[in-house]
Amino acid sequence: MHRRTALSVSAALLVAAPLLSACSGETRPGTAAVVGGERITTSALQAQVNDVRTAQNRSEQAATLIANTPQLERIKLGKMIQLRVLERAAEDAGISVTTKEIEDARKAQEGDKGAAALEQLALQARVPLAPGQIDEDLRFRLLLDKLSERFGEERIIEPLTKASEALHIEVNPRYGAWDAKQVGLGPADTAWITQRTRPEQEPAGA
């Protein structure tokens, strides 16, 4: 039903490099995580954080938005890893998301209120989004929706856990430890799965 396109990971987020641990057993400098043998660099993570902080600072609610996201680095890293897990699970299931599907989803989210309203709501999401991160988040949601349709809400954790384990994810200890079975950076990040069974409260973010 959907036109299949090759799943890819943005070069701006990942840089091919050696694993998280150096031969000495110490964490490699500049590495936030390793997913499927590919690094998520601390600079790539920081770029995402900086984009959000810049957008938050432009908001009239800047102080509140910033105060509500004290662990933004950890939150954004968890989402970056989860996207790669979704991509792997979708690839294994023969599922993809097209550019047109993302564009259509964006139009639906904007509705009559327009892009500016969507961007403000995105900043208030549990995982806050800068304007330039909204389309990637929509892709995240569409992949998750398609996997949920394929496997069912009650069994979606199974392909995600399988993909998570296959990617051999390592995380820099400063951000926590990856839980392959819960598909998150510790207990706090498991809500992105359990919330799928509840009505959506936000038009953007996970």
Side-chain angles (χ1 to χ4, degrees):
M1 178 172 65
H2 299 286
R3 177 165 54 90
R4 295 187 178 182
T5 56
L7 290 174
S8 62
V9 178
S10 171
L13 301 182
L14 290 179
V15 179
L19 296 179
L20 182 67
S21 299
C23 295
S24 64
E26 298 179 353
T27 302
R28 285 186 60 86
T31 300
V34 178
V35 183
E38 301 285 339
R39 281 202 306 160
I40 296 178
T41 64
T42 53
S43 60
L45 171 59
Q46 195 59 50
Q48 289 230 349
V49 172
N50 289 344
D51 286 347
V52 171
R53 290 301 189 208
T54 297
Q56 288 176 329
N57 277 312
R58 286 198 294 259
S59 171
E60 294 180 356
Q61 302 174 333
T64 299
L65 292 172
I66 293 171
N68 287 342
T69 51
Q71 298 187 44
L72 186 56
E73 279 191 343
R74 187 175 183 276
I75 292 171
K76 295 301 279 188
L77 179 60
K79 186 69 174 286
M80 291 168 78
I81 297 173
Q82 288 170 345
L83 174 59
R84 286 148 183 77
V85 172
L86 275 176
E87 289 174 328
R88 175 60 181 264
E91 184 176 30
D92 290 345
I95 290 170
S96 64
V97 169
T98 67
T99 299
K100 185 178 186 305
E101 287 175 315
I102 295 173
E103 291 172 348
D104 289 345
R106 174 95 185 216
K107 291 177 182 176
Q109 293 286 341
E110 291 178 357
D112 296 331
K113 295 183 178 180
L118 175 61
E119 290 171 3
Q120 284 301 310
L121 286 170
L123 279 178
Q124 299 169 26
R126 191 182 70 86
V127 180
L129 304 166
Q133 297 168 359
I134 292 175
D135 284 356
E136 183 176 80
D137 184 71
L138 289 171
R139 181 167 176 269
F140 182 109
R141 286 176 171 273
L142 288 167
L143 286 171
L144 184 56
D145 286 344
K146 289 188 177 187
L147 284 164
S148 296
E149 289 173 6
R150 175 71 61 85
F151 295 98
E153 295 285 357
E154 298 302 320
R155 300 188 62 183
I156 183 64
I157 190 66
E158 295 175 15
L160 294 176
T161 296
K162 180 180 177 181
S164 183
E165 291 174 341
L167 289 170
H168 304 292
I169 298 165
E170 298 177 72
V171 176
N172 188 317
R174 68 178 287 189
Y175 303 109
W178 184 254
D179 187 332
K181 294 189 181 301
Q182 294 298 324
V183 198
L185 269 176
D189 280 349
T190 60
W192 74 290
I193 295 171
T194 58
Q195 285 178 351
R196 299 304 304 169
T197 60
R198 303 171 189 168
E200 292 289 348
Q201 299 298 313
E202 305 152 346

